[in-house]
Amino acid sequence: MTRITLGDGGLGGKQAKQSSAPIYEVNVDLTQTYPNGDTLPSIRITQPAEPGSGHGGRSSVTWYPYFAKDWDGDDALYYGGCYYEEGMGYTDPGDHEARIACFQAAELLYRHSAGRGNAMANLCLGYVYSYDRCEGRYWDSTALSEWKRSQPYPREERAFGYLSVAAAADIPEACYKLGDMYKHGTGCDPDLAAAFRWYVRASELSASERPVILGSIALRLGECYEEGFGCKQDFGRALGWYQQAAAGLEAAVDAGETWYEKALASARAGVKRCAQEAAL
């Protein structure tokens, strides 16, 4: 059996039954090919030990895929999310390689999930690629032996492709993120009209979404109407969207999501600008 081991079990400062377990490893002799054409190795999933255990290291959880059928990819999505969240927590420069290893594991698991038709996994992969979480070191299904940076690796095109699948499944967050791709020409040709259409679609689908999603969508529609991006310029409509954006983003910031403070400031500034313009 050919295995590739990634990550030092000592990283993370936690312990469980198997202190020598790496962050993850793959078996390239046991692969799964999916209807979307992706061929992926099995992956050994590990987790940090419980906080307060007094030890360092990680424990092995399972190999994926496993004997139980994960028909809808929910298990792979869950484990990928665990790795993604862990990777986001590694902010110290000394933990940089642990961070990358976690995002590499998340990429593989999200791709297993997407291969099984899970729309949310496509959204998650859109984030992995658009933010370049693995810093160019992504799994190359054509090599089946290593993580490497293709020349050039089509990261932005992959982000666009996965977000397109998720948006077609009517996931509001994917719709507005796809709109961003069209607006900035990321992984596609710039198309402001298409960006506006996807922002509108996101709004139509977002009635039951969290305030931060509602606010993020409203902010983008406010900008479109203020600047005439993909639509007719309308300061009154822009004002209404900016007000909705400010309300949603303020709720998110108040709930502790402080990384949305910049977006909230933009929404509030938009309210002031458009209120002045609408009054003229």
Side-chain angles (χ1 to χ4, degrees):
M1 180 172 68
T2 305
R3 296 185 182 184
I4 303 174
T5 300
L6 276 296
D8 179 352
L11 291 172
K14 301 173 182 178
Q15 154 71 19
K17 291 183 287 186
Q18 199 169 351
S19 62
S20 61
I23 288 179
Y24 75 101
E25 61 182 321
V26 299
N27 177 4
V28 297
D29 294 329
L30 183 61
T31 62
Q32 179 80 44
T33 299
Y34 293 105
N36 64 1
D38 216 358
T39 298
L40 303 171
S42 62
I43 175 172
R44 181 190 180 201
I45 300 167
T46 71
Q47 64 183 8
E50 291 296 324
S53 63
H55 301 283
R58 307 176 69 88
S59 64
S60 179
V61 175
T62 187
W63 280 89
Y64 187 93
Y66 34 57
F67 292 113
K69 300 297 184 181
D70 183 24
W71 295 113
D72 53 10
D74 278 349
D75 289 351
L77 178 68
Y78 167 76
Y79 287 123
C82 290
Y83 271 117
Y84 192 94
E85 184 177 355
E86 183 181 349
M88 291 297 289
Y90 287 121
T91 57
D92 188 281
D95 290 332
H96 183 257
E97 287 303 310
R99 177 182 174 89
I100 297 300
C102 285
F103 288 137
Q104 287 178 325
E107 183 214 7
L108 274 178
L109 287 161
Y110 287 152
R111 283 170 66 172
H112 273 292
S113 183
R116 295 173 188 271
N118 194 300
M120 286 300 299
N122 285 277
L123 170 63
C124 294
L125 284 165
Y127 275 98
V128 169
Y129 295 128
S130 62
Y131 289 105
D132 196 14
R133 295 299 189 199
C134 299
E135 298 182 14
R137 289 182 277 170
Y138 297 97
W139 181 255
D140 183 354
S141 291
T142 62
L144 280 180
S145 62
E146 63 179 334
W147 283 255
K148 68 179 185 179
R149 186 192 300 270
S150 301
Q151 298 297 330
Y153 186 86
R155 176 181 62 79
E156 293 182 344
E157 289 82 352
R158 287 199 176 198
F160 178 82
Y162 281 112
L163 286 172
S164 296
V165 173
D170 287 344
I171 299 175
E173 190 171 356
C175 291
Y176 87 73
K177 293 299 291 184
L178 184 61
D180 289 346
M181 302 288 277
Y182 275 115
K183 179 179 180 180
H184 300 291
T186 305
C188 61
D189 292 330
D191 188 334
L192 292 179
F196 177 73
R197 288 196 299 270
W198 280 110
Y199 293 150
V200 171
R201 183 57 178 157
S203 177
E204 294 171 345
L205 296 167
S206 64
S208 61
E209 290 293 320
R210 295 176 296 130
V212 66
I213 300 299
L214 294 169
S216 296
I217 295 168
L219 177 61
R220 287 157 171 79
L221 283 168
E223 291 170 345
C224 285
Y225 279 113
E226 182 183 9
E227 301 295 337
F229 289 155
C231 61
K232 183 178 179 180
Q233 189 178 51
D234 188 324
F235 292 113
R237 286 190 175 186
L239 174 59
W241 284 115
Y242 277 133
Q243 289 171 333
Q244 290 186 43
L249 294 168
E250 183 176 4
V253 171
D254 288 345
E257 296 179 276
T258 56
W259 45 92
Y260 287 104
E261 288 177 346
K262 183 176 180 180
L264 175 57
S266 295
R268 287 171 171 168
V271 169
K272 291 181 180 179
R273 288 194 307 273
C274 291
Q276 292 173 345
E277 291 288 346
L280 294 178

